[in-house]
Amino acid sequence: MDRKQQPAGEIRFGRYLRRHRERLHLTLDAVESLSAAVGQRISKSNLSRMENCQVSPNLSKLGTLALLYDVPLGEMVDRYEIGRRLRHVELPQDLGDPDRALAEAYARIKSGEYLKALAVARRCRESVGSGNGSRATHRSNGSHRRLFLTEVQCLLHLGFHECARADAERVLALDDLDLEQRLIAWHAFVASSIWLQKLQVAEASLAHVEEIVRSPEAPARFSADFALLRGNLSTSSSRHEAALEAYSRAMRLFEDLSRPLEVCRCRVLCGGA
């Protein structure tokens, strides 16, 4: 199959594999030699075909590459699965305008179509570029960040927690994030860390971000969102009295914000605690 005719999801996964190999300055020959020592031997021709989307890797080969590239196996499997799912998503033709793409993605999120929202945001983000570098305009910087954050939120809703955590960390490393963008990225990072049972990381991160949320500049809605996360973390740590206190506080904050769905969710969580 010609590369231009291949589904975008497959092309992205091939780029993902190449990016990690090149990050470690490994040649195809080096990966072939090293792979036999850590798992299943992967020939350089086979790896080249994977990177060029001409063949799909099996789980054993993904495990070997995850070890070699020092990437969590769960993240690598998730990246492959995301690419596989995205190949079936049909998108509108004109997604070059970031504002239009974001409006389309938000509409899809509101209707629960997280995979389509992910596809829309990712397609447009690739078209506007990375947002970094001297030639990037301020508008493309802002568009890139908003689109990237939309992707992270979709990954979290779709249950790709390894990818959501990794991408949230990448967003937090970007320059010139405004306060709201930073808090959205921190929320995704902490939420995915809790899901992955990385509780010490989640605790340290949440303690840090709770200090930020107390500042008068922070939007009020984040106090409620992070109080809910505090309850989830306490539940995962079997600290049920602390969880009940956090859920009760989150419920009061959501009531003040007129968010009835979240109030209902907190009531259920209080009952469980």
Side-chain angles (χ1 to χ4, degrees):
M1 180 186 296
D2 181 78
R3 185 178 179 81
K4 293 181 180 180
Q5 295 177 322
Q6 293 184 359
E10 292 183 1
I11 294 174
R12 291 189 191 99
F13 185 71
R15 290 173 181 166
Y16 168 80
L17 292 179
R18 180 179 292 109
R19 184 173 68 247
H20 276 295
R21 177 174 62 78
E22 293 176 347
R23 173 179 60 86
L24 297 171
H25 307 290
L26 293 173
T27 64
L28 293 171
D29 289 298
V31 172
E32 180 175 357
S33 299
L34 292 169
S35 63
V38 300
Q40 181 179 356
R41 177 181 173 275
I42 302 172
S43 69
K44 63 179 183 180
S45 61
N46 189 236
L47 180 57
S48 178
R49 288 196 295 271
M50 288 185 213
E51 291 182 353
N52 287 286
C53 317
Q54 296 168 347
V55 65
S56 298
N58 57 32
L59 183 60
S60 178
K61 290 177 180 176
L62 288 178
T64 298
L65 292 173
L67 283 171
L68 280 178
Y69 298 162
D70 192 25
V71 174
L73 176 59
E75 180 189 338
M76 188 163 282
V77 172
D78 278 358
R79 299 285 184 196
Y80 175 73
E81 177 62 16
I82 291 166
R84 190 188 68 80
R85 291 195 194 181
L86 287 177
R87 77 175 69 168
H88 303 296
V89 177
E90 295 183 6
L91 295 175
Q93 292 298 315
D94 185 13
L95 289 175
D97 179 67
D99 292 334
R100 184 179 301 173
L102 282 165
E104 174 74 14
Y106 293 154
R108 297 298 181 180
I109 289 173
K110 190 173 181 179
S111 62
E113 299 176 274
Y114 298 111
L115 187 63
K116 184 158 284 190
L118 172 63
V120 168
R122 184 166 293 184
R123 170 78 65 82
C124 187
R125 182 169 66 90
E126 290 172 350
S127 72
V128 300
S130 66
N132 295 316
S134 59
R135 295 185 179 181
T137 64
H138 179 73
R139 182 171 183 270
S140 67
N141 276 335
S143 298
H144 176 266
R145 283 149 178 70
R146 287 183 295 154
L147 290 163
F148 205 170
L149 283 167
T150 302
E151 288 182 49
V152 172
Q153 291 172 300
C154 290
L155 290 170
L156 198 60
H157 282 291
L158 290 165
F160 292 116
H161 299 114
E162 289 277 12
C163 294
R165 184 174 181 272
D167 285 353
E169 197 167 7
R170 288 173 62 196
V171 172
L172 287 167
L174 296 175
D175 296 329
D176 301 326
L177 289 176
D178 63 33
L179 179 58
E180 183 172 0
Q181 291 171 337
R182 191 167 295 279
L183 288 172
I184 292 172
W186 272 119
H187 186 275
F189 182 81
V190 173
S192 54
S193 295
I194 294 171
W195 270 101
L196 295 167
Q197 290 296 296
K198 299 180 185 292
L199 301 184
Q200 289 183 328
V201 173
E203 178 65 51
S205 301
L206 187 54
H208 167 73
V209 79
E210 283 172 338
E211 291 294 326
I212 301 174
V213 169
R214 292 190 190 101
S215 69
E217 296 83 10
R221 66 186 178 89
F222 287 105
S223 295
D225 290 335
F226 283 103
L228 181 56
L229 280 187
R230 172 58 70 182
N232 291 343
L233 178 57
S234 297
T235 297
S236 296
S237 304
S238 298
R239 292 181 282 122
H240 302 297
E241 289 186 7
L244 179 58
E245 181 181 349
Y247 289 141
S248 299
R249 178 171 179 269
M251 183 168 63
R252 292 192 298 271
L253 291 169
F254 283 128
E255 286 174 344
D256 292 341
L257 294 168
S258 299
R259 291 170 62 179
L261 181 61
E262 300 300 335
V263 171
C264 182
R265 178 182 299 174
C266 287
R267 284 176 180 159
V268 173
L269 293 170
C270 282

